[in-house]
Amino acid sequence: MVRANIILESLFPGIEQELLNLGAVQIDWPKDVLIVYGSQLVPRFSFNLRTLFLGRPLLDWTIKSRLEAFKGFHILEGHEVTDLLYDALQKRVNGVLLCRSDNRINDDSPSINSLLAELVVDTTGRATEAHKWLATIGYTLQKKTVVDASIGYASRLYQPSPEFKFDWKAVQMYPRPPYLRGGGIYPVGNNLWHVGLIGINGDYPPTDEVGFLEFSKTLPALEIHEAIKSAKPVSEIHSYRQTQNRLYHYEKLSQMPDGFITLGDAVCAFNPVYGQGITVGALSALTLDDLLQEEKYKKGKLTGFSIRFQKKLAKVIAHPWLLAILEDFNWSKTKGIKPQPWFVYKLIQRYTYQLLQKAAKEPDICQSFAEVMHMLKPTSSLFTPRMFWRVLLELTPNKAEIVSEDIRKITAQRLT
């Protein structure tokens, strides 16, 4: 997302150009992307919304290299955090317990060590044990929200055929009822594509050669299938199905020990299909920086800091969380507690769908929607009186909607 690019550049000046020099591909949204949303083919307007596409290893390696250049920064490898060091008298976390992970692998008795810290930040993602650690020291989390649409995806790397002709840099096909399948093609540098296929309500894409290709033929448009049938696979097919949205409500704790916070996927893990995780993680880092700067000027000792941070972070997460779960609740077999009052959110779903229909014809509405999706503007910007009345005038069934078969015909014409 564009917002993630902006934040990374502010934290690590010059990193965008560095990544471009290392092979990242710059994308102008939606001008460079062929987008199909359900059965809607999105026009490729140009709004100067630019972001980078690259492989995750390159991003991680570049950020790690930047961090290592900071004085006092140190990475302790070959260790695993097993618990928190807690001072019950001061109600404060003073560090963590560690064990050597290589010893555990060798079935030796792991050597336990302690690491002291003024502030422990849990960024361990979906594998987080924070809620369990807190429970053992008397801070039991009562609320966790999970919304699961049983979405799974399979992906692999391809090298495009020199003979294949195309006029896009990336492809995104978002499933929308009644279509249960989608996918995407994303450039990751070195003339490689990352190709992902998506299935919803347990309709998971296969991981064998023939099944993967056949699944691509069933998407609402044929671009992905036509692109990969002549491309050279350069990796195995990898499958991932732990895609449920999951939110730990640490902000609801009446008390939280000082010296410990959680952020990123350790607090809120999104369905990765929507591509929100890195951006929300970057926003979380900015939130932490803002509060730490306040503490610096207060010259305090982080007393009460943990619960203040989790409450502020909850506000940052609220809008992207709502966008993700409302999209997942479009599916009939989605499990989880719906936001209340549900009839209001059903109206929001209907309004958003109609807005997308109008955005396909009117560039300014399309730009507003794209800016919200890239977290450059708040969701409320789509509900201004002017926007609302323009969309409300068309809250009737759209007989001109492009159906899947029409997109296939358009695809066939473009490929000939």
Side-chain angles (χ1 to χ4, degrees):
M1 290 187 177
V2 176
R3 185 69 183 277
N5 273 37
I6 294 171
I7 295 173
L8 281 175
E9 186 67 23
S10 70
L11 295 174
F12 306 103
I15 194 171
E16 182 172 348
Q17 188 58 53
E18 182 179 355
L19 290 169
L20 286 169
N21 293 342
L22 292 170
V25 179
Q26 190 172 70
I27 299 289
D28 185 347
W29 288 84
K31 177 177 178 289
D32 295 333
V33 188
L34 189 146
I35 301 175
V36 179
Y37 188 78
S39 61
Q40 182 71 56
L41 187 64
V42 178
R44 289 158 67 181
F45 303 119
S46 179
F47 305 131
N48 292 318
L49 297 176
R50 295 187 174 89
T51 187
L52 299 183
F53 275 27
L54 66 159
R56 183 62 182 270
L58 175 59
L59 178 63
D60 291 348
W61 177 84
T62 305
I63 292 177
K64 178 174 176 285
S65 299
R66 288 293 192 105
L67 290 172
E68 288 176 330
F70 284 107
K71 183 179 179 181
F73 183 86
H74 180 64
I75 296 176
L76 185 62
E77 297 182 346
H79 288 74
E80 178 182 348
V81 175
T82 59
D83 210 341
L84 303 175
L85 289 173
Y86 178 63
D87 186 327
L89 186 61
Q90 295 188 2
K91 296 184 178 180
R92 178 179 185 82
V93 172
N94 292 320
V96 294
L97 289 176
L98 301 171
C99 74
R100 291 186 58 86
S101 54
D102 53 352
N103 282 351
R104 178 171 292 183
I105 292 172
N106 294 328
D107 290 328
D108 294 332
S109 298
S111 56
I112 304 296
N113 298 290
S114 60
L115 182 65
L116 299 180
E118 186 177 357
L119 179 64
V120 175
V121 182
D122 175 24
T123 59
T124 53
R126 286 182 180 267
T128 179
E129 297 285 314
H131 55 293
K132 297 178 182 178
W133 295 337
L134 288 174
T136 62
I137 57 177
Y139 300 87
T140 302
L141 192 65
Q142 299 294 336
K143 189 174 181 184
K144 177 177 74 170
T145 304
V146 177
V147 175
D148 189 0
S150 298
I151 296 176
Y153 63 84
S155 61
R156 80 184 314 182
L157 294 175
Y158 284 89
Q159 186 176 71
S161 167
E163 287 76 35
F164 179 70
K165 305 302 180 184
F166 53 99
D167 62 353
W168 39 259
K169 290 184 179 180
V171 177
Q172 284 195 325
M173 297 184 188
Y174 295 99
R176 180 86 188 188
Y179 309 104
L180 291 173
R181 297 179 175 183
I185 298 177
Y186 311 101
V188 292
N190 298 318
N191 193 34
L192 293 177
W193 288 336
H194 180 276
V195 178
L197 302 180
I198 305 164
I200 296 175
N201 283 354
D203 181 29
Y204 302 130
T207 56
D208 63 283
E209 189 83 29
V210 174
F212 190 86
L213 191 60
E214 286 298 310
F215 190 95
S216 71
K217 291 169 69 174
T218 66
L219 305 186
L222 295 174
E223 262 83 1
I224 293 177
H225 175 73
E226 294 294 332
I228 66 176
K229 74 177 185 181
S230 61
K232 177 184 177 181
V234 295
S235 77
E236 299 295 323
I237 300 173
H238 300 280
S239 178
Y240 188 76
R241 299 176 183 178
Q242 301 302 314
T243 60
Q244 66 269 25
N245 302 281
R246 188 206 61 209
L247 177 61
Y248 289 111
H249 294 273
Y250 292 106
E251 80 282 2
K252 300 293 185 182
L253 286 170
S254 58
Q255 288 184 313
M256 190 166 179
D258 289 326
F260 179 72
I261 62 171
T262 69
L263 58 78
D265 279 8
V267 174
C268 183
F270 293 96
N271 176 348
V273 168
Y274 305 134
Q276 296 174 296
I278 290 179
T279 303
V280 174
L283 288 169
S284 301
L286 285 187
T287 303
L288 175 57
D289 182 61
D290 289 343
L291 283 184
L292 285 174
Q293 292 298 327
E294 291 179 12
E295 290 294 324
K296 178 181 177 181
Y297 291 116
K298 291 179 183 177
K299 297 181 180 180
K301 295 183 178 180
L302 300 182
T303 302
F305 177 85
S306 297
I307 193 63
R308 286 201 304 274
F309 171 78
Q310 301 296 165
K311 288 182 180 297
K312 187 168 184 178
L313 182 63
K315 295 178 181 179
V316 173
I317 290 170
H319 286 294
W321 170 260
L322 185 61
L323 288 173
I325 66 169
L326 284 182
E327 192 67 21
D328 276 0
F329 274 122
N330 278 313
W331 310 102
S332 60
K333 297 182 181 179
T334 297
K335 299 176 182 178
I337 300 175
K338 296 176 180 177
Q340 298 299 323
W342 179 237
F343 76 92
V344 173
Y345 292 107
K346 285 294 290 181
L347 289 175
I348 292 173
Q349 282 182 329
R350 174 64 176 146
Y351 174 86
T352 302
Y353 180 69
Q354 196 67 29
L355 185 146
L356 282 168
Q357 303 300 307
K358 202 167 182 65
K361 296 174 287 185
E362 302 188 29
D364 61 325
I365 293 182
C366 185
Q367 180 171 358
S368 295
F369 186 80
E371 288 171 342
V372 169
M373 292 300 98
H374 285 274
M375 298 188 190
L376 296 173
K377 289 185 177 179
T379 309
S380 58
S381 66
L382 299 178
F383 294 86
T384 62
R386 178 175 176 271
M387 182 79 74
F388 182 78
W389 286 113
R390 288 174 67 186
V391 174
L392 189 64
L393 289 174
E394 295 191 13
L395 277 176
T396 56
N398 189 348
K399 296 181 180 179
E401 178 184 356
I402 302 175
V403 297
S404 178
E405 189 61 30
D406 291 332
I407 295 177
R408 289 175 178 273
K409 292 176 182 177
I410 293 169
T411 299
Q413 293 171 1
R414 186 162 50 245
L415 293 173
T416 56

